Amino acid sequence: MAEVVIVRDEEEAGELAASAIADLLRARADAVLGLATGSTPLSTYRALARRIDAEGIAVAGVRGFALDEYVGLPAGHPEGYRQVITREVVEPLGLTPELIRVPNGDPATIRTAAEAYEAAIDAAGGVDLQVLGIGRTGHIGFNEPGSSLASRTRVKTLTEQTRIDNARFFDSIEDVPMHCITQGIGTILRARHLVLLAFGEAKAEAIAAAVEGPVSASQPGSAIQLHPHATVIVDEAAASRLEHAGYYRHAWANKPDWQGI
Ligand code: GLP
């Protein structure tokens, strides 16, 4: 099962996730990071930027792959994930822009974009550590309920719930694209370490289903149960529906120092 770590707040979660990423970057100058967008990973990226700065970690060779992108937003749109990744990750961390890929959501080339993205991930030798958030519908990346657990990068249709949730980044819900291009669940499962973060009561149900529910395409997050090295970092509110929360706390409190996440 995934290791579940229940923390006080987003800041503590960000520190914990960032320390695992920092360890990876120190061990491998050309590490491959899997990058999530959304609000959830922001405290991780901020904590990581502080560490890179304070500890002088070399990041010029670090490579990265975003999970997903909207289809059809005008190039340079501030809410396109290319822009979000540049603003929230590449610039604050000082990464090399050319080494950070985001799926191409341009309708003109969308027929070949998915295959090209999978090939690029393979050519990089796969993702070392994948940062994940989870949607209220249980989606990881933009793999909405019903997504095949073996799926590869492809175009998907967003649920209305996800469009409503993401409308906060746009002027109105009509501006939220209907389609996206997302790494598949099978793609995500090929990463060597998954770090799934979630905060707040609104995520409690999705987290319970992902960690303790049956493995099912109806709950895309539950695919993490198939992964040999998955870490779930949640605050108290997001952990509030976990049946075995007491055990997760016990295991974490008694974890040997030498064992990282
Ligand atoms: C977004 C992204 C996902 C993200 C999820 C949760 O739409 N495509 O990668 O994990 O939905 O978003 P948030 O972290 O803002 O709650």
Side-chain angles (χ1 to χ4, degrees), residues 6 145 196 205 220:
I6 303 170
L196 170 63
E205 232 170 86

Side-chain angles (χ1 to χ4, degrees), residues 177-209:
M178 195 69 76
H179 298 101
C180 62
I181 174 168
T182 181
Q183 286 190 30
I185 296 176
T187 316
I188 293 169
L189 290 178
R190 292 207 312 275
R192 288 179 274 279
H193 183 192
L194 304 181
V195 178
L196 170 63
L197 300 140
F199 312 118
E201 172 66 33
K203 300 290 176 73
E205 232 170 86
I207 282 295

Side-chain angles (χ1 to χ4, degrees), residues 36-41 67-68 81 133-135 139 141-142 162 166 168-169 203:
T37 50
S39 313
T40 305
L67 276 174
D68 45 17
Y81 286 166
I134 189 164
H139 67 247
F142 265 140
T162 297
N166 287 7
R168 68 188 193 279
F169 297 114
K203 300 290 176 73

Side-chain angles (χ1 to χ4, degrees), residues 134-153:
I134 189 164
R136 282 206 290 174
T137 64
H139 67 247
I140 51 175
F142 265 140
N143 293 283
E144 298 283 22
S147 295
S148 157
L149 299 180
S151 50
R152 298 291 167 102
T153 303

